[in-house]
Amino acid sequence: MTDQHGQEPTRRDFIYIAAGGAAAVGGALTLWPFIDQMNPAADTLALASIRVDTSPVETGQQITVMWRGGPVFIRRRTQAEIEEALAVDISALPDRLARNENLANDAPATDENRRFTEDLLIMKGNCTHLGCVPLGEAGDYDGWYCPCHGSHYDTSGRIRRGPAPENLPVPPLRVADEANPAIVVIG
Amino acid sequence: MSGPSTYEPQTGVERWLDSRLPIARLMWDSFVDFPTPRNLNYWWTFGGILAIFLVIQIITGVVLAMHYTADVSMAFDSVQRIRRDVPFGWLIQSLHANGASFFFLAVYIHMFRGLYYGSYKAPREVLWILGVVIYLLMMATAFMGYVLPWGQMSYWGAMVITNLFGALPVVGEGIREWLWGGFSVGNATLTRFYALHFLLPFVIAGVVILHIWALHVPGNNNPTGLSVKTKKDTLPFHPYYTVKDGFAIVVFLMLFAAFVFYFPDVLGHADNYIEANPLVTPSHIVPEWYFLPFYAILRAITFDIGPISAQLGGVLAMFGAIAVLFILPWLDTSPVRSMRYRPVARWFFLIFLLVCLALGWCGASNPDDPVLGTPLTFVTFAQILTLYYFAYFLVILPVLGFTERPKERPASIEAAVLGNKPATTQPAE
Amino acid sequence: MKTLIRNLAVLAGALIGAAFLTAAPAAAAPGEAHEPEPHDWSWEGIFGTFDRQELQRGFQVYQEVCAACHALEQMSFRNLGEGDGPFTCFPDPNASHEDDGHHAEPLCYDNPNDNPVVRQIASAYIITDGPDDFGDMFERAGVPADRFPSVYANEQQARAANGGAYPPDLSLIVKARSGGAEYVRSLLLGYHEAPEGVTVRPGLYYNEYFPGGLIAMPPQLSEGMVTYADGTEATPEQMAHDVTAFLAWASDPHRVDRNRMGLMVLIYLFIFAVLLWFAYKQVWSRVEH
């Protein structure tokens, strides 16, 4: 079509380009609703917080609760476990960041930055490697051990050895109200 | 008519592919250089519009299936969740529900265009029959899709239509229970309708491919009904008809958008916002607008015909109204295709068009109500209209072929386009 | 062009005809119900919006008058603070009232879970949850994510409590009645003495807008039965208007979004159609047709 009138764009070319451009823009914009519909719906987002009473969890015991469709570990650690977690040299860790959603992204992976109270550790229970659920009180570091691909976590949920790239993440946490400090809101 | 292929592979990759799977050649010969009569009017753009709507319905439908739950206790709520909570769910649901109506609107225009211009006549009988098959599949798909929201109209529509099969002698009762998967419309019915509603659009897409294939063997009919004789009668499909179809599609989409965004419920029924209740029937059951003429024919048979009960008679008449379309190519005896040159037939066609619209009106009305205050009731009116509907195909078209004197036709499509003017410009190609 | 206009006219005619045919049965409802009284609503038209004050008052009427019998099953508390909902924005209770409070900036919350008004409304409801660790169901205060609880355990209980009548769920009522918002408003105000010759059985009431004329719902709205927080005078007309507005929003919460997007889509399609029209003319200018 364009070979009949050399290189110079004409009014006639303009109309084809404009129509083609309008089609491209319209098509691209139309795509968005069909992509966005797969994102979590409003009711799913609203259900993203739960309340858990932590008072029945005894020292040395762990409960697993369901949050956002996956496990959350709530462990009341023994004194030995706490001391073990505090004794770790942060600079030697594979992942030196706390991975705590309640803190800044660059907070270091100290035990203080990960635990909820001194003895209470609350974190998501999916291995950061490929999502299997690690076993408690297992592995070479007395914390958690993922049987799928052999990741070892310590008593603060930090990755110590194995293919997992990150520490087990701590979800958004807060105390429900001052009167019941044992009731924790996750999310 | 396709003639030798004009596709010339430009690059090495194209040549490599062309000698293994000549799909680019097929596309080129079918949609780029396909010789198309140069005189097609806007009524011929509805084929393209229908293709777009099939795509819209399949895409929005697959998306809705990601969120819909086919269970009687959850179906209604899951549709509400789509409309309220799913991102853009309100848009996609409205596109799909209104898309069905506009799909039918376009298909009716497409069919009446075929009826007027004689597009069903030789050598296009198979093309026409495939079209009627698509129409039947569309009706089945739309009917089963309407059940899925599980509102009152969904439920009672399903009840009434499946009960039609109960009218068949001997086997009726068994067929009905087989369709339901129970003793009434219920969860089994809903889940099977969902599965079939998902399947049938892909069957339609398959038959559409056959329909286009059958179109591309004899080529398009055209407003004169004359066959293409020389290359001067045609233009390449692209860019002439791609741009014309594109324009028509966008104009039609504007009408569609007006309904989707501003009147999303006008073509539906308020009762379908009430969850299905097997104990309470809505006071006035009507099908979706696109089924109304057939619903009127169904209700028009209020009398026994010999051994055939009124109920069975209605069912037979309704299915007959569609079945007659299959044999239409052999019922119309006139050698002239386009009614442009059939002075008598075009009047009968116009009456037929009005009869179909009036049947729709009857389908929407209470059978015992008077028509506009006259002593005529809607049921009697529908009976007269039904008589004409069948007479048009079974009597008028066969007889007219022998009695009518067609008007003089132009020598060729080119002559019809140019009149007596000499051809001053030629197509660029 | 002439054929184009003619074809479009035929198309539009066919469509209007189809719309008319589907709309026709609405007028032919059984009984001699009156046509609903026409009324102006803020959300009508292409540029209409919901009036948040109106929705807040309407929700108050729903809660204090309707909620005793009618559920809102499709709705969650969070909906009250989403999008055009009544409490997404509300007057700041701590704002100084020295300048009449009218000029104070309202407080707005994007996330209904953080919205104090929505949380407060939710927490006033008792929600049955569970099972707990012992397998028992327990009761707790509502949170924004909870649905409005049903008023009755099931339809049988609802009928038993209401003399055999079933109070319909209100979350879709404006869409589920062919007269829409105007019907709902008219019905609320449509209680009159029964005309001569109509016998009203005990437990039923005459309402000229109800199909059949006899409705089991007693008249509800009486002068000043709610005290509006914003000081608006609570006449029956005002309450009927407000609660209908609230229910219209509840039936179609995305209405304003839809209209706004529709305008954009139509403008886009129009420009695209004009461009295609010129492209079409350009292409076809090369041949006689």
Side-chain angles (χ1 to χ4, degrees), chain C residues 208-219:
Chain C
E208 63 183 10
Y209 296 105
F210 191 68
L214 298 175
I215 187 168
M217 178 172 78

Side-chain angles (χ1 to χ4, degrees), chain B residues 38 41-43 46 76-77 80-81 83-85 88 90-91 102 105 109 235 239-241 243-244 246-247 250-255 257-262 264-271 273-274 277 280 283-284 286 288-289 292 357 360-361 364 369 417-418 421 424-429, chain C residues 3-4 6-8 10-12 14-15 18-25 28-30 45-46 74-75 78-79 82 147 155 159 171-172 175-178 249-255 257-266 269-270 272-274 276-277 279-280 283-289:
Chain B
R38 61 194 297 160
N41 57 29
Y42 276 101
W43 299 118
F46 281 88
F76 186 83
D77 291 352
Q80 279 304 310
R81 181 175 171 275
R83 296 174 62 115
R84 289 165 188 271
D85 288 340
F88 291 106
W90 56 269
L91 170 64
F102 277 77
L105 176 64
I109 294 172
L235 293 170
Y240 293 96
Y241 287 106
V243 69
K244 188 172 185 173
F247 171 68
V250 172
V251 171
F252 196 74
L253 284 179
M254 283 175 78
L255 197 65
F259 274 78
V260 166
F261 289 103
Y262 293 105
D265 296 313
V266 165
L267 296 171
H269 199 289
D271 278 316
Y273 283 105
I274 303 170
N277 182 350
V280 183
S283 54
H284 193 82
V286 281
E288 292 279 84
W289 69 267
L292 288 174
L357 292 174
W361 184 28
D369 282 352
V417 172
L418 303 178
K421 282 181 291 176
T424 47
T425 43
Q426 290 299 318
E429 278 74 12
Chain C
T3 45
L4 171 71
R6 202 180 59 209
N7 292 356
L8 286 180
V10 171
L11 195 63
L15 208 75
F20 167 76
L21 288 174
T22 35
I46 295 175
Q74 302 293 341
M75 305 281 290
R78 65 183 163 82
N79 293 138
E82 285 173 352
R147 290 200 170 217
E155 187 179 331
R159 286 190 188 278
S171 35
L172 281 166
K175 277 193 178 290
R177 295 294 179 272
S178 55
W249 165 79
S251 289
D252 198 358
H254 294 293
R255 182 186 182 108
D257 295 342
R258 198 181 65 217
N259 288 2
R260 222 170 271 159
M261 189 196 272
L263 189 65
M264 294 299 159
V265 169
L266 283 174
L269 286 175
F270 179 76
F272 192 22
V274 169
L276 279 171
W277 168 256
Y280 162 61
V283 167
W284 282 76
S285 65
R286 283 177 263 163
V287 294
E288 291 279 344
H289 60 281

Side-chain angles (χ1 to χ4, degrees), chain B residues 299-338:
Chain B
R299 293 193 303 187
I301 311 301
T302 51
F303 42 84
D304 296 348
I305 308 161
I308 301 168
S309 69
Q311 192 193 9
L312 180 59
V315 174
L316 292 178
M318 188 179 78
F319 285 115
I322 300 162
V324 73
L325 295 174
F326 280 103
I327 53 167
L328 172 63
W330 297 277
L331 290 174
D332 187 347
T333 52
S334 171
V336 180
R337 290 199 193 99
S338 173

Side-chain angles (χ1 to χ4, degrees), chain B residues 207-288:
Chain B
V207 184
V208 164
I209 290 170
L210 295 181
H211 189 67
I212 295 171
W213 187 7
L215 166 70
H216 283 188
V217 174
N220 292 75
N221 186 27
N222 65 83
T224 63
L226 301 172
S227 299
V228 169
K229 292 190 183 79
T230 65
K231 210 162 164 34
K232 286 179 184 164
D233 290 340
T234 65
L235 293 170
F237 187 76
H238 178 77
Y240 293 96
Y241 287 106
T242 43
V243 69
K244 188 172 185 173
D245 282 2
F247 171 68
I249 287 166
V250 172
V251 171
F252 196 74
L253 284 179
M254 283 175 78
L255 197 65
F256 178 48
F259 274 78
V260 166
F261 289 103
Y262 293 105
F263 311 103
D265 296 313
V266 165
L267 296 171
H269 199 289
D271 278 316
N272 228 27
Y273 283 105
I274 303 170
E275 192 169 358
N277 182 350
L279 302 180
V280 183
T281 307
S283 54
H284 193 82
I285 301 184
V286 281
E288 292 279 84

Side-chain angles (χ1 to χ4, degrees), chain A residues 143-157:
Chain A
W144 285 264
Y145 170 71
C146 182
C148 290
H149 307 96
S151 293
H152 298 260
Y153 296 90
D154 66 14
T155 55
S156 195

